[in-house]
Amino acid sequence: MVRLLITGSPGVGKTTVATELSRIFNTALIDVNEVIRPLLKWDPRLLTNYVTDEKRARELIMRRLSDLGSYIIDTVAINLIDKALIDWCIVLRLNPTELMRRLITRNWPRCKVIENVLAEVVGSSLSMAIDLFGKDKVIEVDTTGKSVQEIVKYVIDHVLKGDPINGVVDWLDILDTGFLVGLDKELDECST
């Protein structure tokens, strides 16, 4: 039995990695957005969906998972996942310069790109995962420059060993100060 939650900033490879893990473990792949679709509403100002009823969303997720012994969950909305429903939270990380390139290639609006790149810089997905599930249930993975197979092997190795790992990525140590200042300036422009 395996119950994994795959998360991270948009563009880090969550769906690709989750799909491969579900294939390897021969288990269900759960896209939370599909499960809670009736409760999602588009916010044109923020350029994102939001959940209209979090309590009901949690119930829908619980109901979807209740008959499954094993599953891989793919979502950024980890706040909707009860701690008792997972064995491991896998947080995928990606060098912010590469993340920016990916999101721009996807034709994302510039302000959404900046918002998500800054979230990756400060590690908001990792921080939230640790807050919600505890350090002992979190496996952080730097996906930068790695193939899907390398990432999946890393995840499986840590899961099978029961070996949590976090705090391995600190983008502030490697990013150019000019890049960070540029992001901050662009965020200011987005806010006005």
Side-chain angles (χ1 to χ4, degrees):
M1 180 173 90
V2 63
R3 303 179 311 161
L4 303 180
L5 170 58
I6 312 299
T7 194
S9 299
V12 297
K14 291 181 301 298
T15 302
T16 303
V17 170
T19 300
E20 184 63 11
L21 284 166
S22 73
R23 186 190 67 76
I24 289 170
F25 285 113
N26 192 30
T27 192
L29 175 60
I30 308 300
D31 177 350
V32 169
N33 283 347
E34 289 302 315
V35 175
I36 65 170
R37 182 146 322 277
L39 303 174
L40 294 177
K41 185 169 182 178
W42 181 254
D43 184 331
R45 189 177 62 76
L46 297 176
L47 300 174
T48 193
N49 282 313
Y50 67 93
V51 179
T52 59
D53 184 341
E54 287 192 10
K55 181 180 178 196
R56 180 79 178 114
R58 285 185 187 89
E59 290 169 1
L60 289 174
I61 293 165
M62 185 79 78
R63 186 177 314 137
R64 174 67 177 95
L65 300 177
S66 65
D67 293 335
L68 301 173
S70 291
Y71 44 80
I72 310 291
I73 304 169
D74 172 12
T75 190
V76 295
I78 64 174
N79 60 306
L80 299 176
I81 310 299
D82 187 288
K83 182 178 184 174
L85 295 174
I86 67 156
D87 299 316
W88 293 100
C89 178
I90 313 303
V91 181
L92 303 182
R93 307 288 305 277
L94 181 65
N95 184 299
T97 57
E98 173 63 17
L99 180 60
M100 179 177 272
R101 187 195 63 73
R102 284 186 190 178
L103 296 179
I104 288 170
T105 301
R106 293 178 182 182
N107 293 317
W108 276 41
R110 186 69 181 185
C111 290
K112 280 309 276 186
V113 170
I114 299 305
E115 176 185 311
N116 282 283
V117 169
L118 281 169
E120 177 61 28
V121 168
V122 300
S124 63
S125 294
L126 178 64
S127 178
M128 184 183 290
I130 290 170
D131 287 348
L132 292 171
F133 306 114
K135 282 185 163 193
D136 61 327
K137 279 191 163 192
V138 175
I139 297 171
E140 179 185 22
V141 184
D142 180 357
T143 65
T144 309
K146 294 180 178 74
S147 69
V148 174
Q149 292 74 25
E150 289 172 306
I151 297 163
V152 166
K153 181 183 180 325
Y154 181 89
V155 168
I156 291 171
D157 287 349
H158 282 276
V159 167
L160 294 179
K161 290 177 187 171
D163 185 21
I165 184 165
N166 36 74
V168 297
V169 174
D170 184 352
W171 301 128
L172 295 174
D173 276 350
I174 64 168
L175 290 174
D176 178 76
T177 303
F179 177 78
L180 296 170
V181 169
L183 288 176
D184 185 52
K185 183 178 178 182
E186 285 197 63
L187 184 64
D188 285 345
E189 291 170 7
C190 290
S191 300
T192 57

